Amino acid sequence: MESEESLAIRIPESNKPRVVIVGGGFAGIQLSRNLKNKGVQVVMLDRHNYHTFQPLLYQVATAGLEPDSIAGPLRKVIENYEDFYFRLAKVEHIDGDRKTLKTSIGEINYDYLVIANGTKTNYFGNEKKFEKAFPLKQVPQALDLRSHILQNFEQALITDNEADREELMTFVIVGGGPTGVELAGAMGELKKHVLPHDYPELNLDKMKIYLVEGMDRLLLGMSDESGDRAMKYLKKFEVDVYLNKMVASYDGETVKFNDDSVIKARTLVWGAGVQGNVISGIRSESVEKSRILVDTYNRVQGYESIFAIGDIALMKSEDWPKGHPMLAPVAIQQGKHLADNIGRLISKRELKPFEYTDKGSMATVGRNKAVADLPGKMHLGGFVAWLIWMFIHLISIIGFRNKLVVFSNWVWNYFTYDRGTRLIIRPYVQGKTPKEEHTELPIEDSVSDSGTS
């Protein structure tokens, strides 16, 4: 029988305090970068060895970008960092009393634990009813959706049944936040500018794109003006928008709604929300609505040495009674702030409370079409908002190479309407979509359905 010591993750011993970070998303990366030279040993755990820039996953799914342009190796992101260690692992349990994490590769002790593992898709308790829906939270899921879309059109070319052909060219997107709006706009661009050249034998007027939102307007986390503009832009792309309507179930061919109406479609993309991916071992009283309750220092309620940042953290205040929005800027700011506070803890100085600086929200609906809510109640739309959206996302992408690749792709697409990644590299097989694991495992810090910036 193996000894207890043999089960430990191999990390060099150090006389420095050990900070273990669960999750290599926006929050985790920002924290680890700012812990450099703080006199701590940093260990990052993630079930993937890469960081994903999730705001652009929809462009991978619609053949606008290759996945390696929005993803980068975590070891590359934090290179030349003394006493930093990354381990590919799934976190299974937290033992707060022993200050120990149980993972798929062994146990590891910590002095300070930071939970930054983000969120997973929220089916609101109806997972069984949407097993054949496509989530869009991870790179493999985006690639599967891309293959599925292209395979549908290939199949539409060879079928003799008109009803089957129309079902193959019908796409339903659930969720009217930025994820759904941006994906619907990208699909609209494919319909108008790309697919007619690839499939001249098909009548693309038969291609239908539906965006379904349960509330009374789009982009609920943004201004009414931005929601109205997004609706106008989507109509130009011939997207049918259903408001105050909810999807009840999907069996791979039929979309059933709460009013008993149906749509026949071979594709349903789920972008209707996320929920926190809470790790086993966190006390139930420290969790509310699948997010971990934290104080103004991002310390988990009921624990002295465990912190949570990013989407998983729920920090209530007078200004934010429901917690901060689940956005990348919040995660980045919390990561930077917590690094400073961990330095203060070590040097026994007073901690500083976190204060979020809201720099606005934005969403793009396609070429020259975007909406932006900026500080000072400034609401922009059209070409100017689109340029701002591109600039903000470009500078936020990690790695100079990725910035260059994304920029060159965008320039090429803008002038040619051509998307060179319309490749079925890995054919999608129904039922093989890599659904997110609903066990308590770390995933990248994600951007919620409320916006990207």
Side-chain angles (χ1 to χ4, degrees):
M1 183 174 177
E2 291 181 307
S3 66
E4 187 71 22
E5 287 75 21
S6 68
L7 297 176
I9 298 176
R10 291 184 58 201
I11 301 292
E13 291 296 326
S14 173
N15 57 5
K16 302 175 185 176
R18 175 182 288 172
V19 180
V20 176
I21 304 171
V22 180
F26 292 108
I29 285 179
Q30 193 67 32
L31 170 65
S32 57
R33 282 176 165 173
N34 283 273
L35 282 174
K36 190 173 185 178
N37 301 323
K38 294 281 188 184
V40 295
Q41 182 187 71
V42 179
V43 180
M44 178 181 285
L45 306 173
D46 199 301
R47 66 174 178 173
H48 302 295
N49 73 336
Y50 56 87
H51 166 80
T52 303
F53 190 77
Q54 290 189 334
L56 294 180
L57 272 176
Y58 80 95
Q59 292 200 13
V60 174
T62 54
L65 294 171
E66 279 290 4
D68 62 350
S69 63
I70 66 164
L74 287 169
R75 287 187 173 88
K76 177 70 174 178
V77 171
I78 319 290
E79 63 181 353
N80 301 321
Y81 191 147
E82 185 180 353
D83 226 1
F84 171 87
Y85 305 93
F86 172 79
R87 294 294 183 264
L88 189 68
K90 298 178 181 180
V91 175
E92 298 170 351
H93 185 79
I94 297 172
D95 188 334
D97 295 329
R98 293 175 54 220
K99 288 191 174 183
T100 300
L101 278 181
K102 180 183 178 183
T103 80
S104 58
I105 61 172
E107 289 191 349
I108 183 170
N109 297 323
Y110 62 83
D111 293 292
Y112 302 104
L113 171 64
V114 182
I115 304 170
N117 62 333
T119 57
K120 59 188 177 185
T121 302
N122 188 3
Y123 293 100
F124 305 100
N126 296 311
E127 285 81 4
K128 291 292 184 181
K129 294 182 179 180
F130 296 102
E131 287 182 330
K132 296 187 178 180
F134 284 85
L136 192 56
K137 292 277 294 170
Q138 302 167 8
V139 169
Q141 295 167 352
L143 288 174
D144 273 344
L145 179 55
R146 183 181 78 178
S147 293
H148 174 75
I149 292 170
L150 296 174
Q151 286 170 223
N152 275 10
F153 283 98
E154 296 295 337
Q155 185 65 29
L157 276 175
I158 62 176
T159 185
D160 293 325
N161 188 296
E162 183 63 28
D164 286 345
R165 185 178 298 112
E166 291 189 11
E167 289 179 26
L168 287 163
M169 296 195 299
T170 299
F171 302 87
V172 178
I173 301 165
V174 183
T179 299
V181 167
E182 292 176 345
L183 180 60
M187 291 295 296
E189 284 195 324
L190 282 176
K191 175 181 178 178
K192 293 180 72 72
H193 302 299
V194 179
L195 296 175
H197 299 290
D198 281 1
Y199 303 98
E201 301 162 73
L202 291 175
N203 178 7
L204 270 299
D205 289 335
K206 297 288 187 178
M207 178 180 173
K208 301 296 182 183
I209 306 166
Y210 296 93
L211 178 61
V212 184
E213 167 56 43
M215 304 303 287
D216 59 359
R217 72 173 183 87
L218 299 176
L219 300 177
L220 195 61
M222 299 181 67
S223 65
D224 291 343
E225 187 175 350
S226 291
D228 293 341
R229 278 177 170 160
M231 175 74 81
K232 181 180 67 175
Y233 295 152
L234 287 173
K235 286 182 178 179
K236 291 183 178 180
F237 283 125
E238 300 176 0
V239 175
D240 293 315
V241 180
Y242 289 169
L243 300 177
N244 295 309
K245 199 175 182 78
M246 298 180 68
V247 177
S249 65
Y250 178 63
D251 62 5
E253 294 184 358
T254 303
V255 183
K256 293 184 179 180
F257 296 95
N258 58 336
D259 58 4
D260 295 327
S261 60
V262 300
I263 291 177
K264 303 293 287 185
R266 301 288 175 88
T267 307
L268 183 141
V269 184
W270 188 271
V274 294
Q275 61 181 331
N277 199 18
V278 181
I279 301 173
S280 169
I282 295 294
R283 301 185 188 110
S284 59
E285 57 267 29
S286 302
V287 179
E288 182 178 310
K289 295 181 179 179
S290 79
R291 298 176 74 185
I292 299 175
L293 291 164
V294 298
D295 61 18
T296 56
Y297 311 115
N298 281 100
R299 184 161 39 201
V300 177
Q301 291 188 16
Y303 297 89
E304 285 297 319
S305 304
I306 303 179
F307 299 82
I309 54 177
D311 292 355
I312 192 68
L314 178 58
M315 182 190 295
K316 295 182 179 181
S317 65
E318 186 176 338
D319 293 334
W320 303 95
K322 296 182 180 180
H324 296 96
M326 299 164 77
L327 306 175
V330 176
I332 292 169
Q333 290 180 37
Q334 287 185 345
K336 183 177 181 180
H337 186 266
L338 181 56
D340 180 64
N341 269 342
I342 288 176
R344 289 174 171 273
L345 273 175
I346 294 170
S347 59
K348 298 182 179 179
R349 290 180 292 156
E350 184 179 356
L351 302 184
K352 287 185 177 181
F354 174 73
E355 294 183 7
Y356 173 52
T357 302
D358 187 359
K359 299 180 181 179
S361 301
M362 58 188 66
T364 183
V365 195
R367 176 190 177 100
N368 297 339
K369 297 176 179 66
V371 293
D373 293 340
L374 303 180
K377 296 184 178 181
M378 184 181 299
H379 311 298
L380 300 177
F383 181 71
V384 173
W386 184 68
L387 285 179
I388 295 173
W389 179 92
M390 286 201 304
F391 175 75
I392 293 297
H393 282 68
L394 198 61
I395 64 173
S396 300
I397 294 172
I398 293 175
F400 176 76
R401 173 196 170 275
N402 286 6
K403 288 180 171 64
L404 185 62
V405 171
V406 170
F407 179 70
S408 61
N409 269 272
W410 283 350
V411 171
W412 178 259
N413 293 345
Y414 185 82
F415 288 107
T416 67
Y417 286 104
D418 182 36
R419 300 190 180 187
T421 60
R422 302 188 302 280
L423 310 174
I424 306 174
I425 300 293
R426 184 187 59 191
Y428 167 75
V429 179
Q430 183 69 44
K432 296 297 183 180
T433 301
K435 299 285 185 180
E436 292 154 312
E437 297 180 60
H438 288 274
T439 50
E440 287 24 345
L441 307 177
I443 60 174
E444 289 93 341
D445 217 313
S446 67
V447 179
S448 82
D449 213 41
S450 301
T452 57
S453 299

